[in-house]
C-alpha cells in the first residue's frame, strides 16, 4: 500500500500469518520480491500504472499464483477480452494467467469520486506455461509485432513462409488469434 494514511488500518485489519501488508510502491517492491513459495497479490491499482504493474507480475520468475486487482473498468474489460476482440494486453496476460472479470465497482463508492467505474479482475496462474521465463521478453516483442496494426490482416504482418511455418491463416486479424495460436506461432517462429 502506497498511501501512508491506510497502512495502519490495513495492518490492524488484515495482518496475520498468511497476509503481509507491504508499506511501499509495488513497482519498487515486486521486482525485488523473491519467493519460492506460493503467494498471491491483492490490490487496487492506480489507473495510470496498471500496465506496468501487470508487466512486472508477468516478468517474475516465480509468479504469484493468484492476483485480484481493482482497475479501471475499461481496462478490466480489455484485459479480459477473448479472441475476436483480443488486444496485445489481453493476449499477453492471458498467455500466463486465466483472467476472470468478476464485477464492476461503481465510481460512487470511491472518495473522492473518480470519473470512471472500476472493475475487479482475478488472475489465476496457468499450471503449465506455454512461454518459458527466459523467452518472456521476446514473446512480448512478438506480440507487439502481431498487434502493431490490429486492423490489418496477418498476411501484412508475416511473410508467406512464416504463415505457412506457423500454420496461421493470413486472412485473420490479430484479435482473432487464440492464446494457443499466439504461443505456438512464437515458439515455432522465434524460440
Amino acid at each position: 500500500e502506497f498511501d501512508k494514511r491506510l497502512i495502519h488500518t490495513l495492518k490492524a485489519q488484515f495482518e496475520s500469518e498468511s497476509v503481509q501488508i507491504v508499506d511501499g510502491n509495488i513497482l519498487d517492491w515486486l521486482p525485488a520480491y523473491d519467493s519460492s513459495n506460493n503467494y498471491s497479490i491483492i490490490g487496487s491499482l492506480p489507473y495510470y500504472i496498471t500496465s506496468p504493474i501487470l508487466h512486472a507480475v508477468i516478468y517474475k520468475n516465480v509468479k504469484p499464483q493468484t492476483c485480484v486487482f481493482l482497475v479501471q473498468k475499461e481496462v478490466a474489460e480489455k484485459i479480459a477480452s477473448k479472441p475476436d476482440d483480443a488486444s496485445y494486453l489481453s493476449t499477453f496476460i492471458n498467455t500466463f494467467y486465466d483472467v476472470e472479470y468478476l464485477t464492476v465497482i461503481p465510481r460512487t463508492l470511491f472518495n473522492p469520486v473518480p470519473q470512471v467505474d472500476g472493475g475487479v479482475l482475478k488472475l489465476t496462474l496457468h499450471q503449465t506455461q506455454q512461454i518459458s521465463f527466459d523467452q518472456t521478453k521476446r514473446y512480448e516483442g512478438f506480440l507487439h509485432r502481431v498487434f502493431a496494426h490490429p486492423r490489418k490482416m496477418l498476411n501484412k504482418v508475416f511473410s508467406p513462409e512464416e504463415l505457412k511455418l506457423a500454420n496461421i491463416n493470413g486472412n485473420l486479424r490479430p484479435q482473432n488469434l487464440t492464446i494457443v495460436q499466439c504461443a505456438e506461432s512464437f515458439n515455432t517462429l522465434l524460440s
Side-chain angles (χ1 to χ4, degrees), residues 7-23:
I7 292 295
H8 179 70
T9 303
L10 287 171
K11 285 186 175 182
Q13 187 172 1
F14 294 108
E15 195 154 39
S16 71
E17 292 179 16
S18 62
V19 177
Q20 177 187 12
I21 306 296
V22 178
D23 181 359

Side-chain angles (χ1 to χ4, degrees), residues 37-50:
N37 298 324
N38 290 343
Y39 67 102
S40 298
I41 300 175
I42 300 169
S44 176
L45 305 187
Y47 296 160
Y48 62 96
I49 59 169
T50 297

Side-chain angles (χ1 to χ4, degrees), residues 120-132:
V120 179
L121 290 175
K122 179 180 180 186
L123 282 56
T124 306
L125 187 66
H126 295 305
Q127 293 308 305
T128 303
Q129 295 291 311
Q130 298 177 52
I131 304 298
S132 70

Side-chain angles (χ1 to χ4, degrees), residues 133-146:
F133 172 74
D134 295 340
Q135 292 293 329
T136 304
K137 190 71 172 170
R138 291 186 75 206
Y139 181 66
E140 179 186 7
F142 174 78
L143 290 181
H144 277 296
R145 176 184 174 196
V146 171

Side-chain angles (χ1 to χ4, degrees), residues 28-123:
D28 296 332
W29 172 80
L30 186 58
Y33 180 69
D34 189 20
S35 175
S36 58
N37 298 324
N38 290 343
Y39 67 102
S40 298
I41 300 175
I42 300 169
S44 176
L45 305 187
Y47 296 160
Y48 62 96
I49 59 169
T50 297
S51 183
I53 291 171
L54 292 171
H55 280 76
V57 167
I58 297 298
Y59 277 107
K60 292 296 294 173
N61 187 14
V62 178
K63 295 173 182 47
Q65 292 294 308
T66 306
C67 300
V68 178
F69 292 134
L70 172 61
V71 300
Q72 183 177 342
K73 177 180 177 255
E74 290 76 14
V75 174
E77 292 170 343
K78 186 175 186 176
I79 293 168
S81 64
K82 302 297 180 197
D84 289 340
D85 197 30
S87 65
Y88 156 77
L89 190 58
S90 69
T91 302
F92 188 56
I93 302 300
N94 278 274
T95 299
F96 301 92
Y97 284 91
D98 179 43
V99 177
E100 296 175 73
Y101 183 14
L102 299 179
T103 191
V104 175
I105 305 295
R107 67 190 81 184
T108 54
L109 295 178
F110 296 92
N111 185 12
V113 178
Q115 296 182 1
V116 295
D117 293 324
V120 179
L121 290 175
K122 179 180 180 186
L123 282 56

